[in-house]
Structures are given as structure tokens and as C-alpha cells.
Amino acid sequence: METYHQKLSLPPIGFGTADLSTPVEEAVWDAVRCGYRLIDTAPVYGSEEGVGKAIRRAEECGLANRSELLLETKLPPNRHGYYEAFDSLNESLERLQTDYIDVYLIHWPVPRGDEETYREKNIAAWQAFEEMKKQRKVRHIGVCNFLERHLLQLMESGLSCPEINQLELHPGFQQRGLVRFCKERGILIEAWSPMGRGLLQTPEFEAMAASYGKTSGQLALRWSVQKSFLPLSRSSSRVHMEQNLQIFDFQIRPADLKKLDALNTPDNHQDIWSYRRQQMY
């Protein structure tokens, strides 16, 4: 498997646990057996307990040690603040049945109802994150869905730069300016919904994938890898889990990359996220 980010020692692809159609423990158990070593979860997904059980099962069966299984979880939107962040971390540690988190992220920059106070709350939460890292309760700290202004609000307060920003990214929604901003500051970009959740299922996209002997999902994931993103794939099917790992035996040709890049639009994102509202703050 290709090396991804030497500084953070993260694998090139992760497994997501939001909205799985099968029990979380069984899905994550299958994912670990397939070879996934970075598992992404969050309190709002309701998947932490299932992830913890699957990780414990993998250890007990000798499939993988805890040090090989990287756990990534998040601070819920309603827990921003210094002491709230520590409380939330401890609750996640208990649900995950572990004594440290590999990657801890602020899930959302502007929680609903905190539009006037989110800046101060984010700063307080980030101060807690820095202390968590010093205490070795977490290995890496980052954010999700942060725009340029949200990142600058942290850094201009004299705080450290996030190591990771997890964003919705796929050929139909590329957030190019934000991606460039993060890369210039050495922020690793994780891609959620890297296959677009059906947004890329067009005859043209499928034909391009077929030209490589791959599925549309594999082509979209490969696009993320070639863009230096870390995609978080998600599936309840073991067959699809295995397929999603089979993206390191081909390269998208420059001409096809150009075609995929041309699919970008500012509106082709998931409507479950309030992007229009997000831009206001």
C-alpha cells in the first residue's frame, strides 16, 4: 500500500462509520480484516461503541495490535469550550475502550445557536486540544469542515495550526481555494464523501472507470489519492470494502485527470450540510 503522509504516519485511506446499514461492530470488524487501519468515527454518528468493540475483538483475535489500529473521533458541535472538550474526550475514550485517541477533530466550526460566540468557543476548545496532545491523550489534532477564516481565527490567536482538515471532497465538489490554503500551511486534507454519494454516477464517469478496469467508486477514490487527499471510504458490504482498497495498482492518466477536474462545481455538495449558512460566519 502506498505511503501517504510520513509526518503523521497515517495510511493512505481510512474507513468511515457514519450511517452504516449494518451493525457498526460487524462492519468495522470486516473493514479491519480487509486491511483498513484508520477508522473514523464521531459521537454524533453513534458508532463509537461499535468501533471500540470491533477494535477490542481484533486485538483479542491477534488480527492487529492497538498501535496498528488508528482511531479518529470528533468533538461534537454542542461541546465547544475548554472543559467541555475534555469531558467529551473522556466520554469518547470510554465508549471506544481505549486510553488514547490517534486523531481528535473539532467536528464543525459554527454550531447552530453559537453564531455569535463560536470564535471564542473554538479557541477555548483548541486550547484544550493542545493540552490533550501534551498529555498524550491524543496523538494528532485537527478540524472538520473549517473554511479559511475559521482556520485563521485559531492561528491568529497564537494557537498552533491544525494538523488535519476533514472536508467533503470529490471530483464534483473540489473546494480548490480551501485546499490550496491548507496545503500551503502543511495541513493534511482528509476527504469525506470521496465518492460523491451518487453524484458521480454518470455514463461518462462510469465509462472512464471501465477504461481502467475499475468501478466509479474506485476511480473517485484514486482521484483523491492523486490529489494528495486521504479519502475516508464507507461501506457495509465487505465486497465493496475490498474494492475500495484496490486503488493503488493504477494511475489516472493526465488527460483523464483534466476531465475529472472539469467536473468541479460549487453546488455539487451534500445538502445535509449548511454550506450557504456556513459561508455567513
Side-chain angles (χ1 to χ4, degrees):
M1 191 174 280
E2 295 180 353
T3 332
Y4 181 68
H5 196 287
Q6 296 293 334
K7 181 180 177 182
L8 299 186
S9 298
L10 297 179
I13 187 171
F15 183 77
T17 61
D19 303 321
L20 293 170
S21 60
T22 57
V24 174
E25 179 181 351
E26 295 306 313
V28 175
W29 169 246
D30 281 342
V32 173
R33 287 196 293 167
C34 287
Y36 291 90
R37 291 297 179 264
L38 172 63
I39 309 298
D40 178 79
T41 181
V44 298
Y45 303 161
S47 60
E48 286 182 322
E49 289 186 3
V51 170
K53 291 177 181 177
I55 297 305
R56 178 68 61 85
R57 184 173 166 187
E59 288 184 277
E60 292 174 349
C61 293
L63 181 61
N65 297 323
R66 170 66 182 89
S67 60
E68 300 172 288
L69 298 170
L70 308 182
L71 299 181
E72 176 173 273
T73 192
K74 306 175 183 75
L75 177 71
N78 63 343
R79 305 296 291 277
H80 289 205
Y82 188 87
Y83 296 107
E84 294 91 337
F86 270 101
D87 289 342
S88 184
L89 172 68
N90 289 330
E91 291 164 10
S92 289
L93 290 171
E94 184 175 350
R95 286 190 291 264
L96 289 164
Q97 303 178 48
T98 186
D99 57 2
Y100 71 96
I101 301 295
D102 296 279
V103 180
Y104 200 42
L105 309 174
I106 297 179
H107 204 159
W108 194 247
V110 188
R112 190 172 295 279
D114 286 337
E115 290 84 358
E116 295 183 359
T117 59
Y118 80 90
R119 298 171 183 82
E120 294 79 7
K121 289 187 174 183
N122 281 346
I123 289 169
W126 195 250
Q127 289 171 331
F129 273 42
E130 291 181 335
E131 183 60 28
M132 292 169 189
K133 188 174 180 182
K134 289 178 183 177
Q135 295 179 10
R136 301 291 292 167
K137 290 186 175 183
V138 300
R139 299 295 188 258
H140 303 293
I141 54 177
V143 296
C144 303
N145 308 302
F146 271 51
L147 302 176
E148 292 95 327
R149 67 174 67 86
H150 307 129
L151 293 165
L152 286 171
Q153 285 162 7
L154 295 181
M155 292 183 279
E156 290 175 354
S157 298
L159 301 174
S160 61
C161 180
E163 297 174 272
I164 295 165
N165 194 5
Q166 188 183 116
L167 305 167
E168 180 183 356
L169 287 169
H170 50 76
F173 186 60
Q174 299 176 25
Q175 304 205 65
R176 292 175 180 171
L178 178 54
V179 165
R180 186 182 310 111
F181 180 92
C182 290
K183 287 186 174 181
E184 287 173 351
R185 287 154 181 80
I187 300 173
L188 170 64
I189 300 169
E190 292 184 348
W192 65 261
S193 193
M195 292 181 273
R197 295 191 188 183
L199 296 175
L200 304 174
Q201 303 307 311
T202 65
E204 295 77 13
F205 198 89
E206 292 173 352
M208 183 184 295
S211 73
Y212 293 95
K214 297 294 181 178
T215 67
S216 294
Q218 289 171 319
L219 181 64
L221 289 170
R222 183 66 209 181
W223 177 87
S224 276
V225 170
Q226 288 188 217
K227 291 291 181 179
S228 298
F229 308 148
L230 193 165
L232 299 170
S233 67
R234 178 183 62 87
S235 178
S236 296
S237 161
R238 184 165 179 180
V239 171
H240 291 157
M241 292 178 195
E242 292 173 345
Q243 286 180 342
N244 292 341
L245 288 175
Q246 295 166 4
I247 59 172
F248 302 100
D249 56 354
F250 78 107
Q251 289 273 346
I252 301 174
R253 295 180 288 269
D256 286 339
L257 269 180
K258 188 174 181 179
K259 292 178 183 177
L260 294 178
D261 289 346
L263 297 177
N264 182 51
T265 166
D267 300 317
N268 205 5
H269 55 70
Q270 297 299 319
D271 58 12
I272 58 173
W273 297 102
S274 303
Y275 283 99
R276 186 182 300 279
R277 173 178 168 276
Q278 184 72 13
Q279 291 287 346
M280 297 169 61
Y281 301 99

